[in-house]
Structure formats: structure tokens, C-alpha cells
């Protein structure tokens, strides 16, 4: 076998026909391994599956025991990401149990894609005085 470059392989013409089939299988497996390695390392494919190729996005920060902004209006299909900007841990919990984050340490984030129009009141379960609202309105 001779290697032209890391992605293209050429079978050695001196290989016997019986060994050639096995060589082709090995080459095919090697090509696939390299392809998957390259694809997996591409930054655009390393994103969260819920956000890959998604529609509009919006961000809500958690700082000074407050959701900023405390109320946000979006269209269906929007992915909202909450980011904890302070050392104190926080959560994001929908009062109607539609979504719930794990405890978010500093700089951790949680995302949810809103598919259905409606009002979504949420709070931090650790600090129940921290409240917010996502209003999902159909595009006009």
C-alpha cells in the first residue's frame, strides 16, 4: 500500500488479488476513521445538538441574583441560552415543568428551544426571588 496523503490511499498494484480485497477493506475502514475524526473535530459540529442548525437565538444572563433581561419576547423556534455570570450557583426552572436546568456554576449555561407560542414563567430554584419570563409570539 502507498499513501499519497492522509485522506487518499492507493492500493499497491503488486498486491495479489486475494490480499487486495482485504487491503481494500482495511483502506475503507481507515478512510472512514480519518473522515469521522476530522468531522468530529470541526468546531461547527461540536455544538450542542439542540442548537445545531437552529433558528433564532437569544441570551439571558444571571448576575446580581437577577435574570437580565427579566422578560424576553421571541418567536417559535428560538433557542434561549441562560448564562451564569456570577460565582453563586443558579438554576433555570419553568414553573409549568417544561424545562429545568441542572445547577449552573459560574460561566455555565443552559439552553432551551421554544417551539410553541405562549408565556413561560421561570425562576431560580435556589433563589426563588429570581424570576423571569419568556414570551413566545408567532411571527407576524
Amino acid at each position: 500500500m502507498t499513501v499519497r496523503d492522509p485522506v487518499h490511499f492507493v492500493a499497491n498494484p503488486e498486491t495479489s488479488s486475494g490480499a487486495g480485497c482485504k487491503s481494500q477493506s482495511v483502506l475503507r475502514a481507515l478512510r472512514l476513521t480519518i473522515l469521522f475524526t476530522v468531522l468530529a473535530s470541526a468546531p461547527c459540529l461540536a455544538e450542542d445538538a439542540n442548537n445545531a442548525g437552529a433558528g433564532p437565538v437569544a441570551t439571558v444572563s444571571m448576575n446580581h441574583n437577577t435574570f437580565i433581561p427579566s422578560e424576553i419576547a421571541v418567536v417559535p423556534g428560538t433557542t434561549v441560552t441562560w448564562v451564569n455570570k456570577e460565582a453563586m450557583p443558579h438554576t433555570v426552572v419553568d414553573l409549568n415543568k417544561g424545562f429545568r436546568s441542572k445547577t449552573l456554576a459560574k460561566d455555565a449555561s443552559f439552553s432551551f428551544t421554544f417551539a410553541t407560542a405562549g408565556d413561560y414563567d421561570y425562576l431560580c430554584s435556589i433563589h426563588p426571588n429570581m424570576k423571569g419570563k419568556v414570551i413566545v409570539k408567532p411571527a407576524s
Side-chain angles (χ1 to χ4, degrees), residues 15-132:
T15 305
S16 67
S17 62
C21 289
K22 189 169 185 175
S23 292
Q24 290 301 318
S25 296
V26 170
L27 289 175
R28 189 173 297 120
L30 212 52
R31 284 184 195 133
L32 287 172
T33 301
I34 291 169
L35 174 66
F36 289 134
T37 301
V38 169
L39 289 175
S41 65
C44 63
L45 297 176
E47 294 180 291
D48 185 297
N50 290 334
N51 292 337
V57 295
T59 303
V60 176
S61 296
M62 295 175 246
N63 206 351
H64 306 292
N65 278 349
T66 306
F67 290 108
I68 303 169
S70 61
E71 188 172 293
I72 188 168
V74 299
V75 297
T78 300
T79 299
V80 177
T81 300
W82 289 265
V83 181
N84 185 2
K85 294 294 188 181
E86 62 183 334
M88 193 175 307
H90 294 295
T91 64
V92 182
V93 180
D94 176 26
L95 296 179
N96 290 316
K97 301 179 182 177
F99 55 88
R100 180 182 192 93
S101 74
K102 63 180 185 189
T103 300
L104 303 172
K106 181 173 176 53
D107 296 325
S109 65
F110 168 73
S111 296
F112 183 79
T113 301
F114 292 87
T116 309
D119 293 353
Y120 298 84
D121 293 301
Y122 63 90
L123 56 75
C124 170
S125 62
I126 301 169
H127 309 99
N129 59 321
M130 277 181 70
K131 297 179 181 180

